[in-house]
Amino acid sequence: MTKTVNDYIAGLSGVPADVAKRLHDAILAVGGLTDIVKWGHPVYDAGGAVCLLKGTKDSVTFGFWRGADMLDLDPRMEKGGGKGDMAYIRLRSTDDVDAAQVARLVARGIELNRLKGDPMK
């Protein structure tokens, strides 16, 4: 069972492991976030869940609970299925992880939580 985000990332292999490590570092560089493993993958929280990363065999999903309000910030953002506000980006190489863009997206997610409250409540 995965205990920490670092354990989760260490359990990935190949390119997704490299992408997840770079993404994790970029997310934490924003500041003000706590990282936990919840629902089997890393979740980053600041006044409520902001974003997540989830490794697959060939990519890493970078998702946002309030992503539907952020679709205009990144053309790679796709609306999640269902009725929620979730949206995500699939990252397939370390070149897909732009620290400045990650910071912009995460900061917007934090701001949306400040304006709208915890998306989990």
Side-chain angles (χ1 to χ4, degrees):
M1 183 165 162
T2 302
K3 294 185 185 334
T4 69
V5 173
N6 288 331
D7 292 338
Y8 177 90
I9 293 169
L12 299 175
S13 62
V15 173
D18 297 335
V19 171
K21 175 67 173 134
R22 184 171 288 185
L23 180 59
H24 173 68
D25 291 346
I27 292 168
L28 290 182
V30 174
L33 294 156
T34 52
D35 60 335
I36 58 169
V37 174
K38 191 169 186 172
W39 305 298
H41 54 79
V43 172
Y44 301 84
D45 188 281
V50 174
C51 61
L52 63 85
L53 72 81
K54 186 173 184 181
T56 67
K57 185 173 85 171
D58 61 354
S59 68
V60 173
T61 299
F62 182 27
F64 293 87
W65 268 265
R66 298 210 181 273
D69 292 330
M70 300 167 54
L71 295 173
D72 61 324
L73 296 180
D74 195 307
R76 303 172 296 172
M77 188 86 71
E78 300 177 41
K79 180 97 169 82
K83 296 179 182 179
D85 290 334
M86 197 75 159
Y88 61 90
I89 299 169
R90 292 212 194 279
L91 305 170
R92 292 183 168 77
S93 80
T94 54
D95 290 341
D96 291 342
V97 182
D98 176 323
Q101 180 64 349
V102 169
R104 182 176 173 213
L105 291 166
V106 171
R108 183 65 178 143
I110 292 169
E111 179 63 19
L112 287 167
N113 278 3
R114 194 171 9 257
L115 294 170
K116 296 183 171 193
D118 184 345
M120 304 304 292
K121 293 184 178 179

